[in-house]
């Protein structure tokens, strides 16, 4: 499997580290919501959005859209906050 | 208070043995450690990438690299190291941390890496063949020309790789590696190049 880093180009899997599901958003409050956020994950068979870290390269966090059945990657974009230019003023 | 006596020496001080290595005859590889350089990491502060770019242009007279490449200024090389960040490689203290601090005040965070990395220059007939054993980057001249750079890994070790100016018509590849990993990578390069024959040296001059 290879990932096309939006900053570096196409790289081998060994340069990346997998974090997990990119969908969960930190809830503002509520014990049940926080429990869900921390512990519960969908076991997606198909297209899912994931966080990957390009630690062996540019050290940016990426959001990768990957089909867990075929490993086909349909999109890669910088995760929120990757690169100072992308954030606020 | 105790007095400390700091003995500045290369992380390759022990591993580097000047002279020929491996196969005899015409060496296919020249492996040179470059010593005594200034290296500063420049990272834009949040939302200040534009200001950092302007400060770079004003100080160095060249644009900061915004894609993986190494940009030559009059007396420094600016090497891309990630989004909105680059390394400044120079000699003689002209672009050392304390000189750059006022230049990037308010726009970028600086970190002195001068003694945190080793700089290795790889050249010769077999430079590309040697590095191909360690790297998955396509180093064909049609893809990786003079000034091309990559933040990548070799032998599970993070490196900054870029192609310098050709010497005697042959490509020159430069590698910056974390000081504590330098010896390991050095031995791996020697193992990979032994079949071609290596000329080992160190220099105070940039390749
Ligand atoms: Zn990258």
């Amino acid at each position: 499997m290879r990932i096309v880093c939006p900053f570096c180009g196409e790289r081998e899997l060994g340069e990346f580290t997998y974090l997990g599901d990119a969908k969960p958003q930190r809830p503002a409050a509520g014990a049940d919501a926080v429990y869900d956020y921390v512990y519960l994950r969908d076991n997606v068979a198909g297209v899912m959005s994931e966080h990957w870290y390009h630690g062996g390269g540019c050290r940016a966090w990426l959001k990768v859209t990957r089909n867990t059945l075929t490993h086909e990657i349909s999109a890669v974009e910088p995760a929120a906050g990757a690169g100072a230019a992308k954030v606020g003023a | 208070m105790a007095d400390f006596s700091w003995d500045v020496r290369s992380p390759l001080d022990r591993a580097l043995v000047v002279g020929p290595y491996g196969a005899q005859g015409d060496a296919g590889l020249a492996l040179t450690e470059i010593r005594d350089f200034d290296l500063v990491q420049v990272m834009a502060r949040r939302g200040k990438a534009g200001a950092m770019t302007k400060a770079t242009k004003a100080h160095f007279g060249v644009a900061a690299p915004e894609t993986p490449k190494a940009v030559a200024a009059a007396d420094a090389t600016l090497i891309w190291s990630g989004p909105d960040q680059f390394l400044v490689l120079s000699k003689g203290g002209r672009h050392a941390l304390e000189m750059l601090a006022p230049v990037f005040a308010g726009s970028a965070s600086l970190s002195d890496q001068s003694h945190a990395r080793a700089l290795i220059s790889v050249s010769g007939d077999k430079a590309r063949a040697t590095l191909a054993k360690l790297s998955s980057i396509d180093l064909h001249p049609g893809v990786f020309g003079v000034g091309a750079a990559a933040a990548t890994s070799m032998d599970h070790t993070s490196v900054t790789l870029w192609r310098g100016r050709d010497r005697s018509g042959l490509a020159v590849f430069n590698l910056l590696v974390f000081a504590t990993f330098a010896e390991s990578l050095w031995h791996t390069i020697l193992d990979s190049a032994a079949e071609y024959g290596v000329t080992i040296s160190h220099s105070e001059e940039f390749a």
Side-chain angles (χ1 to χ4, degrees):
Chain A
M1 200 170 99
R2 294 179 195 175
I3 297 176
V4 181
C5 173
F7 302 113
C8 300
E10 187 178 28
R11 294 297 171 85
E12 59 179 302
L13 183 61
E15 290 195 359
F16 299 88
T17 311
Y18 179 72
L19 175 77
D21 198 339
K23 280 272 163 57
Q25 298 290 315
R26 190 183 183 86
D32 286 351
V34 170
Y35 179 89
D36 284 4
Y37 169 72
V38 173
Y39 294 110
L40 298 188
R41 293 290 179 272
D42 296 331
N43 186 14
V44 178
V47 175
M48 81 177 277
S49 179
E50 305 170 326
H51 277 136
W52 288 79
Y53 177 57
H54 195 188
C58 66
R59 294 169 290 174
W61 282 96
L62 307 175
K63 205 167 94 179
V64 176
T65 308
R66 182 178 70 104
N67 187 322
T68 60
L69 295 173
T70 62
H71 297 307
E72 186 197 348
I73 290 171
S74 51
V76 186
E77 55 187 297
K86 318 290 181 292
V87 185
Chain B
M1 219 175 103
D3 279 333
F4 291 101
S5 165
W6 298 105
D7 180 21
V8 177
R9 58 186 180 141
S10 156
L12 291 171
D13 203 40
R14 280 190 312 164
L16 190 153
V17 179
V18 173
Y21 181 88
Q24 294 177 355
D26 290 342
L29 197 80
L31 195 58
T32 310
E33 190 212 353
I34 315 295
R35 294 179 175 171
D36 193 23
F37 54 84
D38 298 312
L39 185 69
V40 178
Q41 172 83 68
V42 180
M43 298 179 89
R45 298 216 176 134
R46 185 160 293 186
K48 299 289 186 187
M52 180 187 76
T53 304
K54 278 203 197 87
T56 306
K57 180 84 179 162
H59 180 71
F60 292 102
V62 296
E66 291 180 345
T67 55
K69 61 183 178 181
V71 178
D75 51 7
T77 305
L78 314 183
I79 309 143
W80 185 91
S81 63
D84 303 327
Q85 52 171 282
F86 59 92
L87 293 157
V88 177
L89 177 67
S90 64
K91 280 191 73 70
R94 283 188 301 276
H95 304 291
L97 183 78
E98 56 275 19
M99 306 298 278
L100 294 183
V103 173
F104 291 105
S107 69
S109 298
L110 310 183
S111 165
D112 194 351
Q113 301 295 315
S114 303
H115 297 143
R117 311 280 182 104
L119 176 55
I120 301 170
S121 163
V122 183
S123 61
D125 267 347
K126 296 294 185 183
R128 187 151 67 92
T130 300
L131 292 175
K133 298 185 189 183
L134 310 173
S135 172
S136 57
I137 301 281
D138 187 351
L139 298 176
H140 188 278
V143 179
F144 205 82
V146 171
T152 185
S153 297
M154 285 188 185
D155 196 32
H156 310 285
T157 302
S158 279
V159 297
T160 304
L161 165 73
W162 76 99
R163 193 172 150 191
R165 279 196 308 272
D166 289 359
R167 199 189 316 130
S168 316
L170 292 172
V172 177
F173 298 95
N174 296 295
L175 278 169
L176 274 171
V177 57
F178 294 124
T180 46
F181 288 85
E183 201 169 307
S184 169
L185 186 65
W186 183 263
H187 286 303
T188 305
I189 295 172
L190 283 181
D191 287 347
S192 305
E195 64 168 311
Y196 310 127
V198 186
T199 303
I200 298 171
S201 63
H202 58 81
S203 168
E204 307 265 308
E205 300 302 316
F206 290 133

